[in-house]
Amino acid sequence: MKTIQIWLFIGIILVLVSCQDTTEPDSTQVATFEGTVYALGELGQPLPLSDVLVTAKGFYKQTTTNTEGKYEISVEPEAGEETVSLELEFSKVGYRLTFKNVEGLKGERTKVPDVTMQSTNDDSSVVTPPGGESDDAAHIEIYGSHESHIYVRSSGLTEAAIVQFVVTDARGRRVDENHKVLVHFSILNGPNGGEYLFPDTMTTQAGFVHTVLNSGYVSGTVQLIASFEVNGKEYRTLPVRLAIWGGLPDQEHFSVALDRVNIAGHVHSGILDPVTAYVGDKFGNPVAPGTAVYFYSDYGILEGSAITDEMGRATVRYMSAQPLPPNPAEYSLAEITATTYGDTLKVEQLSSSTKLLLTGPTAAIQISPETFTYTDVNQPVSFDYTISDIWGYPLVKDTRIKITASDGNLYGDTDIKMLDTQASGPGRTEFNFAWAPGDSLEAPQVYISIRVTTPEDGNGYQSANVVGTKQ
């Protein structure tokens, strides 16, 4: 009988276990966020913080950090949405409440920037520094490492940096409780875009103090100092430098430009023309150095990508090569497009484009009239002439047009150095000049010469002559 009861009990347990819902969430339908939480140790070093309650506000999801300070939390986007924007709340008894705004994609894992929580302990928790009792404070210097840069406010990126200092006596010992000092923090120089320090004063704890640089809306370099007074004498640090970088790219501040807008691409292969994308954030600051920009073109060959410099410039090289526009008489432009992303998830794609004119060989010079007559009367003769490639497009930059005459005087468009242009018409492909014999010109004939010379990678040489005869 006892054996039957035992087997009956085991059977009930098995049934209950088999009825439990062991289904895990489908990872392709949730956005997962993972990160690490730290606290500052006595010496200012970051230490993993366990048992921190992590809450995804608005999604009713919570988890806690493990002994390594790590956590993972998954949330499901709203119906029809691929992205999740949420606010993570970090809380633990004895530490200040901390928040972090993050974005993630459904079906992907997102690394959350490290979180450092500040203790709420007061001065009573301070221990006596190593080396025993200290003397009066005599030195202050930066302690440990800190962020080399942050980003402008409202960029969605890191906007604050903790900077730590240590105060010591003349023998290099951290000041103790009996010799603590009030340290003042101030910005010596900055971009004046609303950046600020908080707190701006702090009393040493075991010799340590810290402040937080919070960015404003303007990028640039910030210099901050920490100082204190003892017995009427001021002690201060050397300036500490941090950079405030621009935020994410903005469509209204994204453009692309060519070094030359007209090259003889139908004449020479291998002509290199730099292409530069100019990338700014929504406040008009250059974006952070290292922002990736991608490029492509419908004709020729183009380097595929580059990263921005400190002014938000990313430059690649276009090279004239096949394929070329198939019907250049009607259309001989290569469209060059630059793209980047306006968010960290690479969802919001930005683009800007420009067009490069690919011109052909220099056409025969057209001039009217082709011949002329003159008398002893100083009566000028006017000429119209056209200089272009074989399809009517303007010649490339630094093309030289030079007109000379064997006798008489020339006026007008007689010595021209072409500018970089895609436009045809007066001053670009159409020109005019006048010749006058002067008083009592005796020469029976006058020869007017037009010479077109181009750069080494230009459209090519052409010339023409006009003959005048005396009546």
Side-chain angles (χ1 to χ4, degrees):
M1 182 68 179
K2 183 179 291 185
T3 302
I4 296 174
Q5 289 177 337
I6 292 173
W7 280 109
L8 181 61
F9 176 74
I10 294 174
I12 293 171
I13 294 298
L14 290 174
V15 170
L16 291 174
V17 170
S18 65
C19 291
Q20 288 181 351
D21 183 9
T22 59
T23 303
E24 296 183 357
D26 184 354
S27 63
T28 64
Q29 300 302 311
V30 296
T32 301
F33 300 86
E34 57 186 10
T36 308
V37 181
Y38 295 94
L40 296 178
E42 180 186 341
L43 300 181
Q45 73 277 26
L47 300 174
L49 190 59
S50 62
D51 298 321
V52 176
L53 180 63
V54 184
T55 303
K57 300 188 70 177
F59 287 86
Y60 306 102
K61 294 282 186 176
Q62 290 183 323
T63 188
T64 56
T65 58
N66 61 18
T67 56
E68 296 180 344
K70 299 183 181 298
Y71 66 91
E72 179 180 304
I73 192 167
S74 298
V75 297
E76 187 173 347
E78 295 182 4
E81 296 292 332
E82 295 294 320
T83 63
V84 175
S85 297
L86 61 86
E87 182 180 36
L88 293 177
E89 178 186 278
F90 303 85
S91 59
K92 182 175 181 175
V93 175
Y95 293 86
R96 295 180 182 176
L97 203 61
T98 305
F99 300 91
K100 181 73 73 173
N101 292 311
V102 292
E103 288 185 339
L105 282 175
K106 183 170 71 174
E108 294 190 6
R109 304 178 73 88
T110 299
K111 178 70 170 66
V112 180
D114 292 342
V115 172
T116 301
M117 298 187 70
Q118 295 184 8
S119 172
T120 58
N121 292 339
D122 55 25
D123 288 351
S124 62
S125 64
V126 176
V127 298
T128 301
E133 297 291 330
S134 73
D135 296 326
D136 288 341
H139 302 287
I140 181 170
E141 60 186 33
I142 194 167
Y143 181 82
S145 61
H146 58 81
E147 297 284 351
S148 62
H149 63 272
I150 55 177
Y151 298 84
V152 293
R153 195 181 307 169
S154 299
S155 64
L157 305 171
T158 303
E159 301 171 9
I162 299 176
V163 185
Q164 300 178 79
F165 301 88
V166 61
V167 179
T168 60
D169 64 13
R171 291 185 290 177
R173 298 175 302 182
R174 286 184 283 120
V175 294
D176 57 28
E177 176 71 8
N178 295 324
H179 296 89
K180 62 184 179 181
V181 292
L182 180 65
V183 178
H184 297 263
F185 307 105
S186 60
I187 294 177
L188 186 63
N189 289 298
N192 296 320
E195 64 277 4
Y196 67 95
L197 296 171
F198 182 85
D200 57 7
T201 61
M202 178 178 283
T203 301
T204 54
Q205 299 182 26
F208 292 108
V209 291
H210 72 269
T211 187
V212 179
L213 172 64
N214 296 269
S215 64
Y217 294 105
V218 180
S219 61
T221 300
V222 176
Q223 290 183 308
L224 62 92
I225 59 172
S227 63
F228 64 88
E229 283 190 8
V230 173
N231 300 324
K233 184 177 180 180
E234 184 182 42
Y235 299 84
R236 62 168 57 193
T237 62
L238 291 172
V240 180
R241 295 175 176 84
L242 294 91
I244 298 176
W245 285 356
L248 295 168
D250 176 65
Q251 182 64 66
E252 293 185 1
H253 296 88
F254 183 41
S255 61
V256 61
L258 302 165
D259 184 57
R260 291 182 290 171
V261 300
N262 177 356
I263 64 173
H266 282 277
V267 181
H268 306 281
S269 294
I271 300 174
L272 298 179
D273 191 13
V275 182
T276 300
Y278 299 89
V279 195
D281 67 11
K282 62 183 178 181
F283 304 112
N285 302 298
V287 294
T291 298
V293 182
Y294 307 91
F295 298 82
Y296 61 89
S297 175
D298 53 357
Y299 297 111
I301 295 174
L302 181 65
E303 290 177 313
S305 64
I307 59 174
T308 57
D309 62 13
E310 69 280 356
M311 286 303 296
R313 298 169 296 198
T315 300
V316 296
R317 293 173 296 175
Y318 174 91
M319 184 168 68
S320 60
Q322 294 291 343
L324 294 168
N327 190 6
E330 294 185 6
Y331 187 86
S332 193
L333 295 167
E335 184 169 16
I336 297 170
T337 302
T339 65
T340 189
Y341 293 94
D343 60 358
T344 57
L345 300 176
K346 295 187 176 182
V347 173
E348 182 188 354
Q349 188 177 67
L350 314 179
S351 68
S352 180
S353 62
T354 188
K355 293 182 179 180
L356 172 64
L357 179 60
L358 304 172
T359 51
T362 304
I365 299 171
Q366 301 176 37
I367 185 167
S368 177
E370 297 180 352
T371 61
F372 65 98
T373 60
Y374 59 95
T375 65
D376 287 333
V377 179
N378 188 20
Q379 180 67 40
V381 181
S382 295
F383 297 86
D384 295 316
Y385 66 101
T386 301
I387 305 290
S388 69
D389 76 350
I390 58 176
W391 300 302
Y393 301 119
L395 303 187
V396 300
K397 179 183 178 181
D398 293 334
T399 293
R400 191 73 178 267
I401 303 172
K402 182 71 173 178
I403 300 178
T404 58
S406 58
D407 274 301
N409 302 302
L410 292 169
Y411 308 92
D413 300 329
T414 60
D415 190 356
I416 298 171
K417 189 175 183 180
M418 291 290 292
L419 301 177
D420 188 31
T421 182
Q422 296 181 356
S424 300
R428 304 292 190 273
T429 57
E430 300 171 5
F431 308 92
N432 58 75
F433 69 93
W435 175 87
D439 294 329
S440 302
L441 180 61
E442 296 182 358
Q445 285 189 320
V446 172
Y447 299 92
I448 299 177
S449 173
I450 304 175
R451 297 286 183 269
V452 177
T453 56
T454 63
E456 184 178 351
D457 58 358
N459 307 88
Y461 175 84
Q462 275 289 0
S463 66
N465 294 297
V466 177
V467 179
T469 304
K470 186 174 182 179
Q471 289 184 337

